[in-house]
Amino acid sequence: MPELPEVEVTRLSFADRIEGATIKSARMGKPLRWALGLDPGALAGRTVQGVRRRGKYLLVDLDHGLLLMHLGMSGSLNFSPAQPEPGPHDHFDLVTTRGVLRLNDPRRFGAVVYAEAEASAGAVKLLGKLGMEPLTDGFDVKAFHTGLKQRSTAIKQVLLAGELVVGVGNIYASEALFMSGIRPTLKALKISRPRATRLHAAIREVLARAVEKGGSTLRDFSNANGETGYFQLEAMVYDRKGEPCRVCASPIKMIRQGQRATYFCPDCQKS
Ligand SMILES: [Zn+2]
């Protein structure tokens, strides 16, 4: 599943090139998770002002309105001067004067949604509940700790929910908790300020590093399905059940939290 770093790397791969392009036409394939919300033909003539990211959404700003794109479980975007005939899994093409932006999404959990403005109801429904952006200055330690103190569920679940901070998917949550020595089952409200500070730094580090790595391995993850990202290659705990901890050599444990696999070191993450 594309996580925040992959979405950010995708953004960086085409944002500069599509900026300033005029839309010539748009084509929808099979229905995606949500409807586009306007006749694709109505996009013709509009210009692309830029591409931003909010959580795992890419926001393509137009001179009038914006497109919210989500890669779902298996989606990938490709921007090229020309594209071959659409295949069975190519469900959206945005044909512009600078190239064609194509969404390939075999499982069709992704979406392209049009909104008149970021503040309009359709956009707010998708973006309104998103937590702080971990890679911006808006991700403040104090606000993070305050949010943790208000939540009685396990810290791993709080991170995955994305309402406090976005983009900490399953792999990154396990890794950040390992880096900060916190047991994934610990109730969020029990985390002290110093530990919250360590976790805050770990989240930033693990995501920033993934974005950095992704820059050179874009092709690898865009072809991948499921949680088999490039990041796994150097994971400290993720997907390493029974293998020795890279710090203390204790066997890594795997438990289930809300249907998702959680990996941790019982010795490095005692509480
Ligand atoms: Zn260990």
Side-chain angles (χ1 to χ4, degrees), residues 34 59 65 97 102 185 193 227 235 269:
W34 301 299
L59 279 53
T97 49
R102 170 168 287 179
T185 48
R193 181 63 176 272
E227 290 177 336
Q269 296 164 270

Side-chain angles (χ1 to χ4, degrees), residues 178 245 247-250 265 267-268:
F178 175 81
C245 171
V247 173
C248 75
S250 294
C265 171
D267 287 315
C268 293

Side-chain angles (χ1 to χ4, degrees), residues 152-228:
S152 58
T153 40
I155 179 60
K156 164 91 184 312
Q157 313 275 77
V158 168
L159 295 177
L160 281 194
E163 291 181 5
L164 181 56
V165 53
V166 295
V168 191
N170 207 33
I171 300 173
Y172 303 109
S174 284
E175 293 296 305
L177 288 167
F178 175 81
M179 284 165 70
S180 47
I182 297 171
R183 182 69 65 106
T185 48
L186 184 68
K187 286 181 177 180
L189 54 74
K190 293 204 167 168
I191 295 177
S192 65
R193 181 63 176 272
R195 302 186 89 196
T197 304
R198 281 203 295 277
L199 178 57
H200 175 269
I203 289 169
R204 286 178 86 111
E205 192 189 325
V206 80
L207 291 174
R209 203 166 58 191
V211 170
E212 222 170 81
K213 295 236 170 253
S216 57
T217 55
L218 183 61
R219 191 169 296 152
D220 294 333
F221 78 76
S222 63
N223 286 340
N225 289 313
E227 290 177 336
T228 51

